[in-house]
Amino acid sequence: MLIGVPKYEHPEFPPIPAALNSLQAVRDLLLDSTLCGWKDHQVTVIDDVSSAEKLIVQVANLVKGVTGNLLLYLVGHGMLSTSGELCLVMPRTQPEYPKYTGLVWRNLAEVLLLSPAKARITIMDCCFAGQAIEALGTGDAQVLADLTQVNGSYTLTATTRNRTAHVVPLGEQTTKPTSFTEHLCDVVRSGIPGRSPHLTLNDIYPVLRTRLQAKGLPLPNQRGTDTAGHVVFARNMAASPAPVEPTISGNSVILDETENPFEERVSRLVTAWAARDRGQDWLVTGRAFFALYLWWWHDNKRLAGALTQAYVEHSYEFIGGEAGWVALLSQRARCACHNETWHVENISICLNCLRYQCYQAPRECGGCGGHIVG
């Protein structure tokens, strides 16, 4: 969720046209397939906030369905109440009553903590945003985290608890984002030399802080619980390119490398598939999938690890799911043992030589002595 408040009714809060540019910059960053790789339906932009009540309900309705990683980006004015609480300024906020006319950050933090998300990442580009770190990392909020069995949270803020954020003069804001967001996007887009191919917010933060300090801008702050700060945020465009390995067909590993035991072929294939971003080139179809599925179902369904199971499930979806599986079973194939033609659903297969065998064949392949499943 990307939330921005660019306009305010009270004259004490000047408009921030840069907020809209910041929302667009972050959205473009997230949707860039070479960087963050989010899909369009996974990103919600809210730039027409009317009140704190409506906003917090809208956020609550969105976060309750997030089971993966939850990212919240906020840009706009922030202010402290007389008791020192961070309040996000809404379009109709009255400066003398921020707790009652604005959005108290702690209330929003509680909504985030009640989400079933694996990790919650908050990026706040507003004045006094450092106060938000306390709401998601300590005290009552941590108790909430324990009670709801969440795995962690990470907060990155544009300033410390006692500093204002920085924007360029109003006349320059028509085309520029806020200073913090501009430098954050620049770090991600340029990458970080010497780091791994994938960047986490823990990687990004020290570089961002150094750049802001060199510009004389307010310093950001961060805090994370558990492993939320280690969630991959983007590809590292400055990383040394990995050695290029030839892409091979998953089918060829299963069907052609018969000098290796079937379990070793599967292990090599699953490992390669996982190491190469689980690409479709490594999935299996046809006879190779038939052998893999029977091997997994009959002999290894309980013993295979989660990665192998994921590989089988992805290959199943790759052939067309249930419809593809039914189509495969309805095909006819000739058994190697009696040279008779059968529907594949009534046939077995040798895991060594990958030849089809009919029901009359023994449990060991007559041709190579391999194990028959089916």
Side-chain angles (χ1 to χ4, degrees):
M1 284 172 295
L2 313 179
I3 302 173
V5 184
K7 296 180 180 180
Y8 308 86
E9 293 184 0
H10 198 282
E12 184 169 320
F13 304 117
I16 313 176
L20 296 178
N21 299 326
S22 297
L23 290 176
Q24 187 63 49
V26 175
R27 181 180 183 275
D28 291 345
L29 188 74
L30 294 178
L31 297 182
D32 191 327
S33 60
T34 64
L35 291 168
C36 299
W38 292 61
K39 305 300 182 183
D40 186 70
H41 71 274
Q42 296 175 311
V43 180
T44 299
V45 178
I46 302 173
D47 59 4
D48 56 351
V49 176
S50 59
S51 68
E53 294 81 1
K54 290 183 178 179
L55 177 59
I56 203 164
V57 170
Q58 188 174 3
V59 172
N61 287 332
L62 285 169
V63 303
K64 67 183 181 182
V66 178
T67 56
N69 295 320
L70 170 64
L71 170 64
L72 173 67
Y73 168 83
L74 292 158
V75 58
H77 284 303
M79 65 178 300
L80 301 180
S81 69
T82 54
S83 59
E85 290 184 277
L86 172 64
C87 300
L88 304 175
V89 179
M90 298 288 100
R92 295 185 177 90
T93 295
Q94 298 297 310
E96 64 270 36
Y97 305 118
K99 288 182 65 174
Y100 310 115
T101 60
L103 176 55
V104 179
W105 165 250
R106 185 170 292 277
N107 295 337
L108 184 57
E110 289 182 358
V111 171
L112 300 182
L113 288 167
L114 292 174
S115 167
K118 293 180 180 177
R120 298 169 314 284
I121 298 168
T122 305
I123 300 176
M124 300 190 64
D125 189 351
C126 66
C127 300
F128 312 110
Q131 293 280 115
I133 285 178
E134 298 175 2
L136 271 177
T138 62
D140 295 339
Q142 187 57 49
V143 174
L144 273 176
D146 294 337
L147 290 176
T148 53
Q149 298 180 343
V150 293
N151 291 334
S153 63
Y154 176 93
T155 308
L156 173 63
T157 64
T159 67
T160 57
R161 59 180 295 162
N162 298 316
R163 288 292 305 274
T164 57
H166 180 270
V167 293
V168 296
L170 185 60
E172 301 177 26
Q173 291 187 37
T174 55
T175 59
K176 291 180 69 68
T178 62
S179 301
F180 170 81
T181 295
E182 180 179 30
H183 285 280
L184 171 63
C185 292
D186 284 347
V187 169
V188 176
R189 289 195 176 280
S190 59
I192 303 175
R195 294 287 185 175
S196 68
H198 296 94
L199 295 176
T200 68
L201 287 167
N202 283 343
D203 295 322
I204 295 168
Y205 173 74
V207 178
L208 174 63
R209 185 179 175 90
T210 298
R211 291 194 183 184
L212 290 170
Q213 185 176 32
K215 296 287 185 178
L217 296 170
L219 297 182
N221 203 356
Q222 70 164 352
R223 180 174 294 169
T225 62
D226 301 318
T227 59
H230 298 288
V231 172
V232 171
F233 187 78
R235 291 188 177 93
N236 185 4
M237 304 306 291
S240 301
V244 177
E245 296 185 29
T247 300
I248 64 172
S249 166
N251 287 350
S252 67
V253 174
I254 296 294
L255 300 176
D256 299 337
E257 298 183 9
T258 54
E259 70 278 5
N260 299 320
F262 191 81
E263 291 80 1
E264 290 185 10
R265 281 178 264 171
V266 173
S267 177
R268 161 167 145 70
L269 194 54
V270 171
T271 301
W273 171 72
R276 293 161 179 81
D277 295 327
R278 304 191 178 197
Q280 291 184 345
D281 290 339
W282 294 84
L283 300 177
V284 288
T285 60
R287 183 185 299 202
F289 177 75
F290 182 70
L292 172 72
Y293 191 78
L294 294 184
W295 166 83
W296 176 74
W297 180 266
H298 289 287
D299 295 341
N300 292 278
K301 190 173 184 180
R302 295 183 179 180
L303 301 177
L307 189 59
T308 300
Q309 178 172 327
Y311 179 80
V312 174
E313 291 172 350
H314 277 73
S315 290
Y316 180 81
E317 295 300 325
F318 185 59
I319 69 168
E322 182 178 0
W325 176 244
V326 171
L328 174 61
L329 296 180
S330 66
Q331 296 176 12
R332 300 191 70 89
R334 187 176 300 278
C335 74
C337 44
H338 297 91
N339 200 32
E340 295 178 355
T341 301
W342 302 80
H343 285 291
V344 173
E345 64 182 342
N346 298 316
I347 214 164
S348 303
I349 193 168
C350 172
L351 294 180
N352 185 40
C353 65
L354 276 297
R355 292 189 299 177
Y356 288 123
Q357 312 283 339
C358 71
Y359 76 97
Q360 303 175 49
R363 290 295 88 186
E364 290 186 1
C365 177
C368 68
H371 179 51
I372 294 176
V373 293

